[in-house]
Amino acid sequence: MENTTSPVQASVKSGMIIGLLMLIINFVIYFIDYSLLVAAWYNIFVLILFFALIIYFGRQYRKEIGGYMTFSTAFQFSFVTLIISGLIATIGSVLLYSVIDPGLPEILVERQLEGMLSMLDKFGAGDSISADQLDEMRSEMSRSYTVMGQIKAFGFALIIYAIMSLILGAILKKRDKSLDY
């Protein structure tokens, strides 16, 4: 009998690697130019990298267990990997926004509002937002950078992780056709 790791064991290792890599990338971006943390292209890049790394580690695990993986195993691998890496990223964000640079959230909120108003101006709707609405958006965005806001965001992310895991499970599964009869 071969000595293979379970999907949970493999995904904990993969999740830690991905989470630490994402944390390192976030801190490097913070040191280069913190305003990039709220740039749309950066967030798209991180999402693509996230997907690519999970597929890479999923294929490595599939190869390790004999080249075939059921959808449920692939889903479990993906979901636990996403949870572990998301938890590490959340802890890193809490440290960044609350301990390392407590003034950063205020700056990022202003950058987000500038970007949003710029986009609304392009569509001709920039003048339609009142000062009260702007203050409410600023307040709401500021709350998302608090410890509680980060915890709530992680809770919401679990739903997103489940959906992503369904997609990743479908990508990673591979059926042994020799067992068909």
Side-chain angles (χ1 to χ4, degrees), residues 117-154:
L117 290 174
S118 171
M119 186 172 34
L120 287 173
D121 283 340
K122 288 179 185 175
F123 291 113
D127 297 334
S128 65
I129 294 180
S130 70
D132 289 339
Q133 289 172 320
L134 202 57
D135 288 339
E136 178 61 32
M137 285 190 285
R138 182 177 287 115
S139 172
E140 192 65 35
M141 287 178 183
S142 293
R143 282 194 289 269
S144 70
Y145 289 101
T146 64
V147 173
M148 201 59 197
Q150 293 290 308
I151 292 170
K152 286 179 184 177
F154 180 72

Side-chain angles (χ1 to χ4, degrees), residues 12-160:
V12 167
K13 179 183 172 192
S14 299
M16 291 182 74
I17 292 169
I18 293 170
L20 291 173
L21 183 65
M22 293 298 174
L23 196 61
I24 290 168
I25 291 171
N26 256 7
F27 278 102
V28 167
I29 293 296
Y30 165 72
F31 288 121
I32 292 173
D33 182 5
Y34 56 82
S35 65
L36 295 175
L37 290 171
V38 292
W41 69 265
Y42 172 71
N43 290 310
I44 291 169
F45 165 75
V46 167
L47 184 64
I48 291 169
L49 183 62
F50 215 47
F51 256 97
L53 287 172
I54 292 172
I55 290 170
Y56 171 77
F57 285 116
R59 287 188 173 158
Q60 293 288 78
Y61 177 63
R62 184 175 71 196
K63 192 183 304 178
E64 179 187 322
I65 61 172
Y68 301 103
M69 187 166 25
T70 64
F71 175 79
S72 64
T73 303
F75 173 81
Q76 185 180 17
F77 174 85
S78 301
F79 192 56
V80 175
T81 300
L82 285 166
I83 290 172
I84 300 296
S85 58
L87 191 58
I88 291 170
T90 300
I91 292 169
S93 294
V94 167
L95 287 173
L96 179 61
Y97 302 139
S98 300
V99 178
I100 296 170
D101 192 351
L104 182 63
E106 187 177 315
I107 296 168
L108 293 178
V109 166
E110 291 306 317
R111 298 276 190 208
Q112 281 179 293
L113 284 173
E114 288 170 10
M116 185 185 68
L117 290 174
S118 171
M119 186 172 34
L120 287 173
D121 283 340
K122 288 179 185 175
F123 291 113
D127 297 334
S128 65
I129 294 180
S130 70
D132 289 339
Q133 289 172 320
L134 202 57
D135 288 339
E136 178 61 32
M137 285 190 285
R138 182 177 287 115
S139 172
E140 192 65 35
M141 287 178 183
S142 293
R143 282 194 289 269
S144 70
Y145 289 101
T146 64
V147 173
M148 201 59 197
Q150 293 290 308
I151 292 170
K152 286 179 184 177
F154 180 72
F156 178 72
L158 289 174
I159 297 166
I160 304 300

